[in-house]
Amino acid sequence: MRILGIETSCDETGIAVYDDTHGLMSHELYSQVKLHADYGGVVPELASRDHVRKIIPLIKKALVDANTRGEELDGIAFTQGPGLVGALLVGSSVGRSLAYAWGIPALGVHHMEGHLLAPMLEDPAPEFPFVALLVSGGHSMLVEVKGIGQYRVLGESIDDAAGEAFDKTAKLLGLDYPGGPLLAKLAEQGEPGHYQFPRPMTDRPGLDFSFSGLKTFAANTIRDSDGAPQTQANIAYAFQEAVVDTLMIKCRRALKETGMKRLVIAGGVSANKMLREQMQKMMAGLRGEVFYPDLAFCTDNGAMIAYAGMQRLKAGQTSDLSAAARPRWPLDTLSPV
């Protein structure tokens, strides 16, 4: 089976062709970072317009690179939600229209299921069951995964997600957009021990996350600092360390609660170097395993949508032409495969 994957949930246009025998055959990604940089965040209307401009050329290139014609595909998977409604409508409209024209089925995919299954693109791939930590700009959640569609949300962010807190703190430090990766880079120059940031919601039971208070603590620390470059780096280090420690504490709790020894970490924040290093140490101490997607597939991409869509298309699931975009879509409402 050969699937075209289309991802347009936010500010990246991702297109990929995935084959269940040959693996990933092509992968195209266009980021709108420069477009939104002047505004310090994603402007939904501009994002939608840019998806319209880029999606067809990227689809054509992905098909050429995969040496595949549209009529030779076995299906199209598009991101149906969650995300920005205008951006979702671009991908879903194009995906369903092409599927109708080529006489093949189309399927709307849950964006977070795509992230959750992205490590399946790697070798070795994690086996079910496992605990998944999904950390990105819009989501932070822990999920018990027993199989595709068999999800139990253990905890999630009640305010700012981890990636959102990274970006907002980076902005307070005067870093450009998107600030998360730049803050992580600045933190590499920082020294431990100068600042002690709180580990939010770790002093009470439960697996939910809250990073808005940590962001406020960072804002107050930055305001009261001398503004020197090394001070800025030390603050970045302390902030990043607090986020990583918080995620580790919650993951350890989730593994204990479920009795599992296998952890999957996905989403944009999963590319963070400190997070990967510390999680690796933690899982080694627990005699468990940790899995990540390749760095190219941590952020939004078409490959993860193609893979997730293939699993459901194989099971006979399809979407009709009236399938609406779903800007809000709980992960644990998905049907099992």
Side-chain angles (χ1 to χ4, degrees):
M1 179 177 274
R2 188 166 296 182
I3 302 296
L4 175 71
I6 299 174
E7 157 61 24
T8 61
S9 65
C10 190
D11 61 340
E12 286 161 323
T13 312
I15 309 294
V17 176
Y18 187 86
D19 187 283
D20 59 354
T21 300
H22 303 289
L24 187 62
M25 302 189 69
S26 63
H27 171 238
E28 299 295 328
L29 184 66
Y30 174 77
S31 174
Q32 300 176 1
V33 165
K34 292 182 179 179
L35 174 67
H36 300 288
D38 290 341
Y39 305 95
V42 177
V43 181
E45 177 65 21
L46 296 180
S48 302
R49 291 173 181 268
D50 218 35
H51 284 307
V52 171
R53 284 191 288 266
K54 300 297 182 180
I55 189 168
I56 296 300
L58 288 175
I59 289 174
K60 288 180 177 179
K61 189 172 188 309
L63 291 174
V64 169
D65 291 347
N67 194 26
T68 299
R69 294 185 299 113
E71 296 83 353
E72 296 173 333
L73 294 169
D74 296 296
I76 296 178
F78 60 89
T79 302
Q80 188 174 0
L84 301 176
V85 65
L88 292 169
L89 283 170
V90 176
S92 64
S93 299
V94 170
R96 287 177 292 151
S97 299
L98 290 177
Y100 179 78
W102 292 333
I104 57 177
L107 177 72
V109 172
H110 194 291
H111 178 73
M112 296 311 294
E113 181 173 55
H115 275 303
L116 188 152
L117 297 177
M120 298 293 183
L121 297 166
E122 308 305 318
D123 185 20
E127 297 179 0
F128 299 114
F130 54 77
V131 169
L133 171 66
L134 304 179
V135 275
S136 65
H139 300 85
S140 293
M141 64 172 67
L142 280 162
V143 186
E144 180 184 25
V145 181
K146 293 184 177 179
I148 295 175
Q150 300 177 51
Y151 309 134
R152 179 169 71 99
V153 176
L154 303 171
E156 56 191 330
S157 51
I158 61 176
D159 42 53
D160 288 359
E164 185 178 6
F166 261 101
D167 287 339
K168 289 181 176 179
T169 301
K171 188 174 182 179
L172 293 170
L173 285 166
L175 303 176
D176 291 335
Y177 173 85
L182 296 178
L183 186 150
K185 186 174 182 180
L186 177 62
E188 292 179 3
Q189 305 168 30
E191 300 170 348
H194 291 276
Y195 295 96
Q196 182 62 37
F197 278 49
R199 276 57 173 163
M201 294 185 69
T202 58
D203 58 349
R204 68 192 77 173
L207 294 169
D208 286 334
F209 300 96
S210 171
F211 291 106
S212 63
L214 186 62
K215 178 195 64 183
T216 302
F217 189 93
N220 293 333
T221 303
I222 294 166
R223 182 196 61 203
D224 296 337
S225 71
D226 58 15
Q230 186 59 51
T231 300
Q232 299 285 81
N234 293 341
I235 292 173
Y237 182 95
F239 172 82
Q240 177 177 253
E241 184 182 46
V243 173
V244 170
D245 279 356
T246 300
L247 294 174
M248 287 176 59
I249 291 168
K250 297 288 186 172
C251 284
R252 186 187 292 269
R253 286 184 188 176
L255 292 166
K256 183 177 181 180
E257 178 180 309
T258 59
M260 294 185 186
K261 293 286 188 180
R262 198 174 293 121
L263 178 66
V264 161
I265 304 177
V269 181
S270 69
N272 183 275
K273 183 179 178 181
M274 177 184 283
L275 178 65
R276 291 194 172 212
E277 290 175 349
Q278 295 302 314
M279 286 293 189
Q280 191 71 46
K281 291 179 182 177
M282 183 186 80
M283 292 308 294
L286 296 174
R287 297 185 179 179
E289 298 175 284
V290 60
F291 297 86
Y292 309 91
D294 184 90
L295 291 177
F297 303 127
C298 289
T299 54
D300 298 348
N301 63 89
M304 69 182 193
I305 301 302
Y307 181 86
M310 175 175 288
Q311 309 313 310
R312 293 187 172 275
L313 284 165
K314 277 184 173 181
Q317 298 183 18
T318 60
S319 298
D320 58 34
L321 292 177
S322 64
R326 302 186 65 174
R328 296 186 182 278
W329 188 3
L331 180 65
D332 53 8
T333 62
L334 295 180
S335 61
V337 172

